[in-house]
Amino acid sequence: MGWKTLDDVAMAGKTVLVRVDINVPMESGRVTDSTRIDKIKPTVEDIIARGGKVVLLAHFDRPKGKVVPEMSLGHVKDALAASLGRKVVFGSDCIGAAAKAAIAAAGQGDVVLLENTRFHGGEEKNDPALAGEMAALGDLFVNDAFSAAHRAHASTEGLARLLPKAAGRLMEAELKALEAALGAPVRPVVAVVGGAKVSTKLDLLGNLVGRVDHLVIGGGMANTFLVAQGREVGTSLAERDMADTARAILAKAAAAGCTIHLPLDVVVARAFKAGAASETVDVGACPADAMILDAGPLTVAALTKVFETCKTLIWNGPLGAFEIEPFNPATNAAARVAADLTRAGKLVSVAGGGDTVAALNQAGAAADFTFISTAGGAFLEWMEGKTLPGVAALNA
Ligand code: ADP
Ligand code: MG
């Protein structure tokens, strides 16, 4: 970890440009979930406590380089002020005279919020001229937007190359958790990968088999592996044309000493709908007119044993169609096992992915996990072993 934290840089009397992700969901002009706003509070408070002036840079939605009034960060200003409990001064542009005026108008302890960086076409092109105009506004750059770090944009990557820089508290927590899970983990390590399709998680599976001791494959993507092993999966979601790919992943795992765990028993139904009649059968016994929608209790028992032998767990993707009853028991049960082992101090557990976070919340397990990443695409790219430009620029 070559990056600095807020502890490593002096900021008294300095104007600190802080890249945040406050791309919150909104309905008819109101913020419906302020989680992302609430999460930047430690960084904002820390900078203010150290005597710095906070200037927030952020994107909002996808205006594609044009000024789109509905996508103005001005709509987020009140929710931001309420969450932070501070006065927010809004600048109607993220560069130039409007930005400078807002910064000048902000007093000690006020927070400056500048307009949507994506109103400028140069943002997504990582235009050095735009990054330069942003850099001219401040003395120091703090990146607290891990969830935007997989994109090399002017405010995430370009700007970091022009000013002294540090990771914000949220970025720091995310990087430390991910490093502990996959960078330099305490072994043995188990990865759980579930979800719908192998095709969307090929790079992820390919990277993990070379890095973890156990790989649990669940959800719809397990069906593709079962097909590759010559098993009948009936009308299940399965990518039959990916069988060769699945076999290549199994071979790579074997060569790397990674043990693959596939379902031993499965919950099958004739219809993919809530309350559908279901039965649990041996993995080789899926009826031709039925589909696999969850793993069964034997599988959960086997996973429990694996989790108990491991020190680190990293999880992306549910083990079944968890959104629909009665196809959530395996995901719920495995999540609870991981949560209990974590609470007992026996396991470091890190999870991420949109549906995964929803599933762990549904299971009541999220609070006990060591770290839950809400970063979406950035988390997945990191699990794929890719370099995130926003993080690399903090290191440079
Ligand atoms: P994440 O968003 O956490 O990365 P994914 O989007 O890859 O996870 O996968 C979640 C989706 O996979 C859910 O919508 C779930 O219903 C679906 N899924 C899991 N198991 C099955 C299955 N056996 N058949 C069909 N869909 C499944
Ligand atoms: Mg998803």
Side-chain angles (χ1 to χ4, degrees):
M1 287 190 248
W3 41 273
K4 292 190 166 96
T5 73
L6 297 183
D7 300 316
D8 304 317
V9 286
M11 48 186 83
K14 294 193 173 161
T15 298
V16 187
L17 306 177
V18 188
R19 178 56 160 99
V20 291
D21 182 356
I22 48 173
N23 195 13
V24 285
M26 285 214 310
E27 252 166 53
S28 42
R30 293 201 70 110
V31 175
T32 53
D33 177 1
S34 68
T35 308
R36 282 184 158 161
I37 294 177
D38 301 338
K39 285 192 167 200
I40 66 169
K41 198 171 164 120
T43 297
V44 169
E45 290 304 318
D46 212 331
I47 293 170
I48 292 171
R50 287 155 196 263
K53 185 183 274 192
V54 174
V55 178
L56 301 177
L57 287 166
H59 72 279
F60 191 71
D61 214 328
R62 294 197 174 89
K64 302 246 155 79
K66 288 194 202 70
V67 175
V68 180
E70 304 83 71
M71 297 179 194
S72 169
L73 272 169
H75 300 304
V76 175
K77 183 187 159 193
D78 290 346
L80 183 69
S83 171
L84 296 175
R86 290 187 178 274
K87 181 178 164 195
V88 174
V89 181
F90 183 66
S92 60
D93 195 350
C94 67
I95 53 171
K100 284 179 190 153
I103 293 169
Q108 172 66 31
D110 295 346
V111 170
V112 179
L113 172 65
L114 299 182
E115 184 58 286
N116 197 342
T117 54
R118 289 189 188 168
F119 280 1
H120 291 274
E123 165 71 338
E124 295 188 63
K125 294 192 190 90
N126 198 5
D127 177 6
L130 179 65
E133 289 198 69
M134 290 174 184
L137 302 172
D139 309 300
L140 191 68
F141 175 62
V142 168
N143 192 345
D144 212 22
F146 177 82
S147 50
H150 57 316
R151 315 230 186 267
H153 291 172
S155 69
T156 62
E157 205 272 354
L159 185 51
R161 301 200 174 270
L162 300 176
L163 289 176
K165 63 226 171 225
R169 294 302 182 202
L170 187 55
M171 171 77 88
E172 179 185 350
E174 186 102 31
L175 291 176
K176 282 184 175 160
L178 299 188
E179 179 67 15
L182 213 48
V186 184
R187 291 188 177 273
V189 184
V190 53
V192 176
V193 180
K197 292 178 169 182
V198 171
S199 53
T200 60
K201 297 196 176 173
L202 265 185
D203 290 346
L204 196 139
L205 291 167
N207 182 43
L208 289 176
V209 291
R211 303 180 82 163
V212 303
D213 306 290
H214 297 273
L215 176 62
V216 174
I217 301 175
M221 71 165 60
N223 301 335
T224 301
F225 283 84
L226 296 175
V227 167
Q229 293 181 329
R231 293 190 193 275
E232 182 50 60
V233 297
T235 60
S236 299
L237 171 71
E239 294 168 284
R240 292 175 190 277
D241 56 338
M242 300 288 290
D244 282 342
T245 306
R247 278 189 287 268
I249 290 168
L250 294 175
K252 189 177 171 191
C258 169
T259 308
I260 301 274
H261 303 270
L262 284 163
L264 303 174
D265 56 347
V266 289
V267 177
V268 301
R270 264 80 187 174
F272 188 17
K273 61 171 197 239
S278 65
E279 56 185 314
T280 303
V281 298
D282 182 84
V283 70
C286 178
D289 64 343
M291 65 187 97
I292 299 171
L293 290 169
D294 197 12
L298 290 178
T299 306
V300 172
L303 296 189
T304 301
K305 286 216 174 92
V306 175
F307 288 7
E308 283 169 352
T309 63
C310 288
K311 296 267 196 306
T312 304
L313 172 140
I314 182 158
W315 189 333
N316 169 258
L319 298 179
F322 76 99
E323 308 97 321
I324 308 176
E325 295 263 8
F327 308 115
N328 56 3
T331 301
N332 281 353
R336 289 235 175 76
V337 171
D340 289 345
L341 288 168
T342 306
R343 191 153 19 105
K346 294 175 180 160
L347 192 67
V348 169
S349 53
V350 174
D355 291 290
T356 309
V357 175
L360 297 182
N361 280 326
Q362 191 194 82
D368 284 319
F369 268 58
T370 311
F371 189 80
I372 302 269
S373 174
T374 50
F379 174 82
L380 288 175
E381 288 199 21
W382 189 88
M383 258 183 107
E384 287 164 1
K386 293 186 178 143
T387 300
L388 307 186
V391 176
L394 278 184
N395 277 311

